[in-house]
């Protein structure tokens, strides 16, 4: 039976489940996907674990209620089985009481909160729950798990701002040269990426993996460069130095810089654009007429270098202040960028990164040589620039301090050679902050100053949201996270947890939500300082956890609801087009998850649960209306078809998905073909061709005469100034470090030292913590979600370092540590214990702890005894100092290794 897997963000992928006598026997590829799905219908090994997941003897098989009012790691919850009626009535009673008293508390914060984990993948398993949540009204998505703030976070925000890239990847099928800063794509990219990169290697691609340890990805790259952790901005600045300061401008993509970027915009002495006194449009210096002209002046040939006298100009500074300049000097923003990178030579970076200057220079020049500037490629009959070079960033490089600089430098590296959003280059995948979510290209609309419109949260005196609307204050603190459906979960979610314990100066302490829903997330394992976080969770008044097995978070729950899992329930989702991580298809359409076996025990379809919640809270009509309006996937009514559901009754899940299947196929074919649920069950997916030109954003900008807002960041400069004023007006100074990130052009600011300073701030001596502790993902695991599946541990056991602390063999020898010895790793926050794996491929100053383990509740996983970095990373006052302006931090910490008694094997 065909179905999908979306257990990690690299999906969805196709698969087939072989079922005999109602029992799922095993998983196979769906060969009908050959030539359609980028991996030809193959799922990865994680999908093969779904059979064990389904028949896991440790599943929660009935709804349960807690009988011990005391919560905490050391308390026995005393869960007892109850009926679905009892469970749903208990939840509904709480919800109805809240509705009667008001959906918001006295501080204006939603009384109901919900957390869904792992990069948004739960949405592909939660059936029609979104329609219930929308019918309910305001819900706080502020309380994060490990997903969000330590997960590609700054890339999400800056990526969407600059090129509608919630995540960024290489155009692997066309590219020739990739520089990857810790993007562990052979592990994390899913089957589509692995297939694309394997094919690219056969084609002769060169990938340089810049990373503190020899990951699987480094292992199958052409070159591994063991960089010192968190010095990546220095490496990238030095690459820019080579391209901008050592290379003649003519060797760069001058056309692209002139026409598609803000490079020619003239900047005044105060850092703001010089604007035409009449139209207020940013000025360029026209080399033809020898005069300043507005940026959209027809036929202008703008200067990219030099300095020019401007008789009169305006500047738009913070809070609407308009400055009138007389006789000022204007410099093209590219010229200022060149100046900004001037001192960041490879020799300068070499000392910081612990990488030879010659290596950095060579990588920069190889990048330039492979950029094929001037060449074109025909795609779907359209001639586009062909620039087959790309830069990829991994988690820990693209979040936390240094991430702004890295995201900027990566995007500017693409910009200067014209490799942004064109064949072979650096591409965005999908959008989550801009709308519409299902079409990245349609988000490109003309905005200010010749750039794409962007929807930042307001920072002006009259519009700034001074009173947070959610516990992580995303609209108040982070302008660039916007205010779409995903924005709140992308706010500084750790602040919500921290501030509920202790609020900073001049900040109201948020009350805990009265109900917290958790699904497919385990913050008590996945976040930072997991001991303290578990304790905070234990203080939540009422937790409703959808549970497949017990875990460290639902241990604290009041009600457990067992939903029918992956192979047991029905849902239709979008597939194809472009999606993260490297899901670039030449088709797009819909794929069905179907009930291939009956649910185990009392587990119920999520759609049934959602409908029941709606019914018992008196929201059935609103819920059904939301379904009709498209909250299950697509609007059920369109031109020439109407599959609307009756709104006055509880519809059966099969009836709902039948309507969705019909509406989705009708919508896709303009009503010509209507595929019902039965057809989808038989065929698994329904797709139409997707134009390859739509992989690239460049044509959408070129057609509308728009420019990428790069390299200069006038907007960020202004917004940062405004945000600072607003916060200071409220007496808030604890966000001042973060305000420093709002720069027109980034500067090096000793990024790694921030983690050493955190040691001092928490009362430690940096000399006592001489090593870097970092983490890396395992291909066989989808974060912590399948840690209870024995098959995954069995397969991962073939990987060197699985479940262990990876350490440099030479460094270990100096300490007398031997292979397999059990050691303790300490930080100022806590400790973890595990066996060492001694390798050559790891920097002597770095240890690596793969995955997220150290379970104490999850069946099977708790018996493995594996260590976790999350016991070492802080979630306390020092965490604020480790938070960047986007609100993200990183999985990295200063640590020490200690031998322990009886540790030797
Ligand atoms: N040390 C370390 N920590 C990390 C990371 C790392 O690389 N290293 N990665 C970070 C990143 S990038 C992310 S996105 C986060 C993710 O962290 P989270 O958002 O917390 O997500 P998961 O770990 O996937 O959550 C898994 C939980 O879902 C439960 N679950 C699995 N399947 C089902 C099901 O079918 N039904 C129900 N009801 N529950 C189910 C599992 O039992 C498990 O408890 O982790 C972060 N934490
Ligand atoms: N199989 C699988 N695939 C997944 C997931 C999964 O759990 N399992 N999770 C998905 C999710 S939610 C996410 S966010 C993505 C994450 O995808 P990736 O970003 O590729 O995740 P990691 O494997 O953690 O890779 C990060 C790498 O960064 C390196 N690193 C750490 N610190 C530094 C540093 O300072 N500089 C440099 N240059 N490198 C550093 C580490 O060595 C590590 O190998 O993966 C997604 N795909
Ligand atoms: S890559 Fe992710 S979504 Fe795809 S089959 Fe594997 S676990 Fe499932
Ligand atoms: Mo993630």
């Amino acid at each position: 039976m065909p179905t999908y897997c979306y257990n990690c963000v690299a999906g969805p992928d196709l698969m087939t489940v072989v079922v005999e006598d109602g029992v799922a026997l095993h998983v196979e590829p769906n060969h009908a996907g050959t030539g359609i799905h980028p991996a030809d219908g193959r799922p990865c090994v994680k999908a093969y674990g779904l059979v064990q997941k389904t028949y896991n003897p440790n599943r929660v098989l009935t709804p349960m209620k807690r009988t011990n009012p005391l919560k905490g790691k050391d308390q026995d919850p005393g869960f007892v089985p109850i009926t679905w009626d009892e469970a749903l009535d208990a939840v509904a009673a709480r919800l109805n009481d809240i509705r009667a008293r008001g959906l918001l508390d006295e501080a204006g914060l939603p009384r109901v909160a919900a957390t869904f984990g792992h990069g948004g993948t739960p949405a592909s398993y939660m059936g029609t729950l979104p329609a219930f949540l929308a019918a309910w009204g305001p819900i706080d998505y502020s309380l994060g798990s490990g997903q969000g703030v330590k997960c590609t976070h700054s890339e999400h925000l800056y990526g969407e701002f600059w090129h509608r890239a919630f995540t960024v990847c290489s155009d692997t099928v066309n590219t020739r040269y990739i520089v990857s800063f810790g993007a562990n794509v052979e592990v994390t990219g899913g089957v589509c990426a692995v297939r694309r990169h394997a094919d690219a290697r056969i084609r002769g691609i060169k990938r340089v993996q810049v990373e503190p340890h020899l990951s699987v990805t480094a292992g199958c790259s052409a070159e591994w460069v063991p960089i010192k952790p968190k010095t990546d901005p220095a490496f990238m600045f030095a690459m820019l130095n080579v391209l901008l300061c050592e290379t003649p401008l003519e060797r760069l993509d001058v056309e692209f810089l002139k026409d598609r970027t803000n490079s020619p915009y003239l900047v005044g002495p105060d850092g703001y654009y010089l604007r035409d006194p009449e139209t207020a449009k940013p000025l360029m210096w026209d080399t033809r007429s020898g005069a300043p002209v507005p940026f959209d002046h027809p036929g202008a040939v703008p200067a990219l270098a030099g300095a020019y006298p401007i008789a009169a100009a305006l500047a738009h500074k913070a809070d609407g202040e308009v400055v009138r300049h007389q006789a000022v000097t204007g410099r093209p923003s590219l010229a200022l960028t060149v100046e900004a990178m001037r001192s960041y030579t490879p020799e300068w970076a070499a000392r910081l990164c612990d990488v030879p200057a010659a290596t950095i220079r060579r990588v920069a020049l190889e990048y330039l040589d492979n950029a094929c500037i001037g060449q074109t490629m025909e795609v779907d009959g359209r001639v586009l620039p062909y620039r087959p070079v790309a830069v990829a960033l991994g988690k820990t490089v693209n979040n936390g301090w240094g991430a702004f600089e890295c995201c900027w430098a990566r995007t500017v590296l693409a910009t200067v050679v014209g490799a942004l959003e064109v064949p072979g280059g650096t591409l965005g995948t999908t959008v989550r902050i801009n709308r519409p979510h299902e079409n990245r290209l349609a988000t490109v609309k003309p905005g200010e100053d010749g750039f794409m419109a962007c929807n930042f949260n307001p920072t002006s005196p009259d519009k700034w949201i001074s009173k947070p609307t959610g516990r992580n204050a995303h609209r108040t603190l982070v302008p660039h996270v916007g205010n779409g459906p995903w924005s709140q979960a992308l706010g500084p979610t750790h602040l919500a947890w921290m501030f509920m314990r202790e609020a900073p100066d001049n900040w109201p302490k948020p009350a805990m939500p009265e109900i917290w829903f958790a699904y497919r997330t385990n913050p008590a394992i996945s976040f930072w300082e997991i001991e303290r976080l578990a304790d905070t969770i234990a203080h939540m008044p009422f937790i409703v956890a959808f549970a497949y097995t017990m875990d460290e978070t639902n241990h604290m729950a009041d009600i457990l609801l067992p939903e029918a899992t992956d192979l047991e329930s029905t849902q239709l989702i979008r597939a194809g087009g472009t999606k993260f991580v490297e899901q670039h298809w030449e088709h797009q359409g819909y794929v069905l998850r179907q009930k291939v076996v009956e649910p185990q025990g009392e587990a119920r379809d999520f759609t049934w649960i959602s409908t029941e919640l709606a019914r018992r809270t008196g929201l059935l009509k609103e819920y059904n209306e939301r379904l009709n309006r498209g909250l299950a996937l697509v609007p059920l009514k369109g031109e020439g078809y109407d599959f609307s559901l009756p709104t006055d009754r509880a519809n059966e899940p099969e009836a709902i998905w039948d309507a969705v299947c019909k509406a989705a196929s009708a919508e896709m074919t303009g009503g010509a073909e209507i595929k019902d649920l039965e057809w989808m069950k038989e065929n698994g997916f329904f797709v139409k061709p997707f134009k390859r030109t739509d992989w690239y954003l460049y044509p959408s900008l070129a057609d509308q005469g728009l420019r990428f807002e790069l390299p200069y960041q006038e907007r960020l400069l202004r917004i940062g100034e405004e945000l600072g004023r607003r916060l200071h007006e409220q007496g808030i100074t604890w966000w001042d470090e973060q305000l420093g990130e709002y720069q027109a052009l980034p500067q090096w600011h000793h990024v790694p030292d921030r983690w050493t300073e955190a040691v001092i701030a928490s009362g430690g001596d940096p000399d006592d913590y001489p090593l870097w502790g970092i983490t890396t993902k395992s291909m066989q695991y989808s974060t912590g979600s399948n840690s209870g599946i024995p098959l995954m541990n069995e397969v991962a056991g073939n990987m060197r370092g699985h479940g262990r602390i990876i350490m440099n063999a030479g460094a270990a020898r100096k300490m007398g540590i031997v292979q397999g010895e059990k050691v303790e790793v300490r930080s100022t926050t806590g400790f973890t214990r595990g066996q060492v794996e001694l390798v050559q491929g790891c920097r002597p100053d770095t240890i690596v702890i793969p995955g997220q383990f150290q379970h104490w509740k999850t069946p099977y996983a708790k018996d493995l005894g594996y260590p976790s970095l999350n016991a070492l990373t802080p979630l306390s006052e020092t965490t604020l100092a480790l938070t960047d302006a986007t609100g993200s931090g990183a999985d990295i910490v200063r640590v020490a290794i200690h031998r322990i008694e009886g540790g030797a094997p």
Side-chain angles (χ1 to χ4, degrees):
M1 297 170 90
T3 189
Y4 66 71
C5 174
Y6 209 158
N7 269 273
C8 81
V9 293
D13 293 306
L14 306 178
M15 64 173 183
T16 301
V17 185
V18 177
V19 183
E20 213 177 278
D21 297 332
V23 176
L25 294 183
H26 56 265
V27 167
E28 285 184 355
N30 180 351
H31 293 294
T34 308
I36 293 172
H37 174 244
D40 287 339
R42 294 182 180 83
C44 81
V45 70
K46 295 186 279 302
Y48 287 76
L50 293 174
V51 174
Q52 281 196 352
K53 176 175 181 178
T54 307
Y55 301 116
N56 186 338
N58 300 308
R59 277 184 67 169
V60 172
L61 289 178
T62 62
M64 304 259 219
K65 80 170 178 211
R66 174 181 210 95
T67 54
N68 180 358
L70 296 178
K71 294 181 183 174
K73 187 175 170 178
D74 50 347
Q75 294 290 330
D76 177 355
F79 281 119
V80 295
I82 51 174
T83 65
W84 271 102
D85 263 332
E86 279 175 88
L88 291 168
D89 281 345
V91 178
R94 286 258 166 178
L95 288 170
N96 291 334
D97 172 55
I98 288 174
R99 183 162 291 277
R101 285 182 293 119
L103 301 180
L104 304 179
D105 68 13
E106 291 70 28
L109 298 171
R111 289 197 156 105
V112 177
T115 300
F116 308 121
H118 198 191
T121 55
S124 296
Y125 293 95
M126 59 168 75
T128 56
L129 187 71
F132 169 71
L133 299 174
W136 173 262
I139 289 179
D140 197 349
Y141 297 101
S142 269
L143 300 167
S145 57
Q147 87 151 30
V149 294
K150 50 154 127 168
C151 162
T152 311
H153 186 272
S154 305
E155 173 166 306
H156 292 332
L157 273 56
Y158 292 115
E160 284 231 4
F161 171 36
W162 289 322
H163 59 123
R164 297 298 189 258
F166 187 70
T167 63
V168 182
C169 69
S170 48
D171 186 21
T172 310
V173 299
N174 291 311
T175 203
R176 293 162 50 106
Y177 192 81
I178 300 175
V179 196
S180 159
F181 295 86
N184 195 5
V185 70
E186 303 288 351
V187 164
T188 59
V191 279
C192 294
V194 167
R195 171 65 184 271
R196 282 158 46 110
H197 283 265
D199 288 348
R201 276 196 295 280
I202 294 169
R203 201 165 39 76
I205 192 181
K206 177 167 183 183
R207 185 177 61 210
V208 180
Q209 186 76 4
V210 185
E211 195 175 27
H213 77 115
L214 188 79
S215 65
V216 170
T217 307
C220 49
S221 292
E223 185 175 346
W224 170 48
V225 180
I227 193 173
K228 196 167 176 170
K230 276 292 180 190
T231 62
D232 305 80
F235 192 115
M236 281 182 244
F237 283 4
M239 284 180 73
L240 280 171
N241 173 281
V242 173
L243 297 185
L244 293 172
C245 307
E246 293 187 0
T247 312
L249 181 62
E250 305 79 68
R251 282 210 58 199
L252 304 180
D253 194 336
V254 175
E255 290 313 303
F256 186 86
L257 288 168
K258 280 181 178 167
D259 298 336
R260 293 278 81 83
T261 75
N262 65 28
S263 299
Y265 286 20
L266 295 176
V267 177
D270 50 15
Y272 288 91
Y273 294 141
L274 293 177
R275 295 168 183 273
D276 179 48
E278 265 158 42
T279 61
K281 290 177 180 172
L283 293 168
M284 314 185 293
W285 187 262
D286 181 19
T287 54
R288 268 199 200 154
S289 57
V293 295
F295 70 83
D296 53 359
H297 189 80
V301 180
L304 294 176
Y308 303 92
I310 308 295
L314 305 178
H316 283 183
K317 300 176 81 166
D319 291 343
E321 186 195 353
V322 179
V323 174
R324 291 180 181 277
H325 289 295
Q326 303 280 326
V328 283
T329 302
R331 303 193 61 193
S333 86
L334 186 70
L336 293 175
T337 311
V338 174
E339 277 320 302
M341 294 298 117
R342 178 87 62 200
S343 62
Y344 302 136
T345 60
E347 286 68 24
W348 165 84
R351 285 189 297 276
L352 292 162
C353 305
D354 194 18
V355 173
T359 304
I360 303 175
R361 187 169 277 112
R362 176 175 50 78
V363 169
L365 291 174
E366 285 175 358
Y367 177 85
L368 179 65
D369 289 344
N370 280 291
C372 301
I373 295 168
Q375 295 189 30
T376 57
M377 181 183 221
E378 199 179 303
V379 187
D380 294 333
R382 181 161 182 166
V383 177
L384 292 172
Y386 167 66
R387 301 285 181 278
V389 289
V391 180
L393 309 181
K395 171 184 165 292
T396 309
V397 175
N398 60 23
N399 50 13
W401 289 116
F404 166 57
E405 292 77 10
C406 287
C407 292
W408 177 84
R410 173 260 288 284
T411 322
V412 174
L413 277 166
T415 302
V416 295
V417 298
L420 187 59
E421 292 292 345
V422 299
T426 296
L427 310 182
T429 52
T430 188
V431 290
R432 285 290 173 269
I433 296 173
N434 289 279
R435 286 169 194 261
H437 290 177
E438 66 281 0
N439 185 347
R440 182 169 87 100
L441 304 185
T443 68
V444 179
K445 295 183 192 98
E448 290 157 40
D449 298 339
F451 305 126
M452 289 183 279
C454 67
N455 56 353
F456 284 13
N457 290 308
T459 44
S460 61
D462 50 327
K463 296 213 181 82
W464 181 62
I465 314 287
S466 60
K467 222 172 95 183
T469 54
R471 289 167 181 79
N472 74 38
H474 72 291
R475 298 172 77 186
T476 307
L477 293 175
V478 189
H480 20 2
V481 77
N483 192 31
W486 277 56
S487 298
Q488 198 165 42
L490 294 168
T493 60
H494 52 305
L495 299 189
W497 290 108
M498 284 160 55
F499 294 173
M500 289 193 312
R501 289 179 82 105
E502 194 177 356
D505 290 344
N506 297 313
W507 191 263
K509 184 174 162 184
M512 290 196 148
E514 294 180 23
I515 299 190
W516 181 47
F517 287 96
Y519 174 53
R520 279 193 186 234
T521 192
N522 196 0
I525 283 295
S526 63
F527 222 149
W528 296 307
E529 199 166 347
I530 41 184
E531 283 284 328
R532 187 195 292 248
L533 191 73
D535 179 66
T536 312
I537 294 174
H539 286 84
M540 300 269 252
F542 197 77
I543 302 173
V544 180
F546 295 93
Y548 130 81
T549 63
M550 290 307 304
D551 67 29
E552 291 65 22
T553 299
N554 66 32
H555 175 79
M556 258 75 83
D558 294 271
I559 298 278
L560 301 179
L561 301 177
E563 90 288 359
T565 64
D566 308 57
L567 305 185
E568 301 169 334
S569 55
T570 309
Q571 185 161 359
L572 190 75
I573 60 165
R574 281 177 208 281
T578 66
K579 271 184 189 209
F580 44 69
V581 179
E582 286 204 22
Q583 289 255 351
H584 281 73
W585 296 40
E586 291 179 60
H587 289 81
Q588 82 181 128
Y590 302 96
V591 56
L592 183 78
R593 186 165 60 81
Q594 62 172 313
K595 186 169 78 172
V596 303
V597 292
E598 286 302 317
Q600 295 288 296
E602 293 283 305
R604 290 287 175 94
D605 192 306
F606 226 124
T607 296
W608 179 84
I609 300 172
S610 309
T611 307
E612 280 305 305
L613 284 173
R615 192 167 69 82
R616 288 164 205 250
T617 49
L619 294 170
L620 202 52
K621 182 163 170 286
E622 289 80 355
Y623 164 79
N624 283 324
E625 282 169 2
R626 297 282 185 318
L627 291 178
N628 286 338
R629 290 209 316 247
L631 267 277
L633 186 64
V634 290
L636 301 183
K637 184 179 168 180
E639 223 172 277
Y641 60 91
D642 186 354
F643 303 107
S644 302
L645 298 159
T647 56
D648 58 346
R649 72 184 78 140
N651 297 290
E652 288 299 321
E654 294 256 314
I656 295 174
W657 291 109
D658 186 55
V660 175
C661 287
K662 288 173 178 158
S665 47
E667 177 239 43
M668 199 171 93
T669 58
E673 283 185 68
I674 289 163
K675 310 293 187 193
D676 63 6
L677 181 59
E678 278 313 307
W679 187 94
M680 286 298 296
K681 283 182 177 174
E682 194 69 23
N683 295 275
F685 59 87
F686 183 60
V687 292
K688 66 175 181 186
F690 182 80
K691 286 212 311 291
R692 213 152 145 162
T693 31
D694 289 351
W695 293 3
Y696 311 109
L697 200 71
Y698 173 88
S700 302
L701 275 88
D703 291 349
Q704 299 184 58
L706 298 175
R707 297 167 183 269
F708 291 102
E709 200 159 341
L710 291 156
Y712 200 75
Q713 302 306 317
E714 196 224 27
R715 189 196 298 264
L716 291 183
L717 184 69
R718 186 184 309 108
I719 283 171
E721 174 68 29
E722 294 182 353
L723 179 64
R725 290 185 193 175
R726 299 296 85 77
L727 292 170
H728 291 165
E729 283 156 13
Q730 308 280 326
I732 293 165
T733 52
W734 43 262
W735 199 248
D736 282 6
E737 273 292 301
Q738 285 74 14
L739 294 174
E741 194 172 285
Y742 293 85
Q743 296 165 334
L745 291 167
Q747 290 167 13
W748 173 252
H749 54 89
H750 298 285
V751 178
D753 293 353
R754 292 181 183 264
W755 281 269
T756 319
E757 284 154 16
V759 171
I760 300 170
S762 49
D765 179 348
D767 291 340
D768 292 340
Y769 302 95
L771 301 170
W772 289 105
I774 60 173
T775 182
T776 187
K777 288 185 181 282
S778 300
M779 193 266 136
Q780 298 76 15
Y781 284 90
S782 46
T783 53
S785 73
N786 52 356
S787 55
I789 299 177
L791 180 65
M792 295 301 108
N793 185 46
E794 194 181 324
V795 184
N798 295 314
M799 306 305 301
R800 191 170 63 184
H802 169 62
R804 294 191 166 194
I805 297 160
I806 298 171
M807 189 182 182
N808 175 278
R813 200 180 312 119
K814 283 187 190 148
M815 296 180 68
I817 295 173
V818 297
Q819 166 67 8
E821 181 168 342
K822 191 167 183 190
V823 298
E824 184 170 284
V825 184
R826 280 198 167 274
S827 71
T828 55
T829 299
F831 71 95
T832 190
R833 287 181 169 194
Q835 286 181 286
V836 290
E837 184 75 47
L838 302 186
V839 302
Q840 301 298 326
C842 184
R843 288 180 57 86
D845 62 0
T846 302
I847 59 140
V848 188
I849 307 182
Q852 48 214 92
F853 294 101
Q854 205 159 319
H855 296 82
W856 45 269
K857 184 75 180 195
T858 303
Y860 182 74
K862 74 173 170 23
D863 302 326
L864 296 173
Y866 294 162
S868 173
L869 191 79
N870 299 344
L872 308 172
T873 38
L875 186 54
S876 60
E877 306 73 58
T878 45
T879 315
L880 192 56
L882 293 173
T883 303
D884 73 4
T886 71
S888 73
D891 277 331
I892 183 164
V893 61
R894 298 293 293 172
V895 298
I897 283 216
H898 299 284
R899 304 189 69 187
I900 51 178
E901 213 166 306

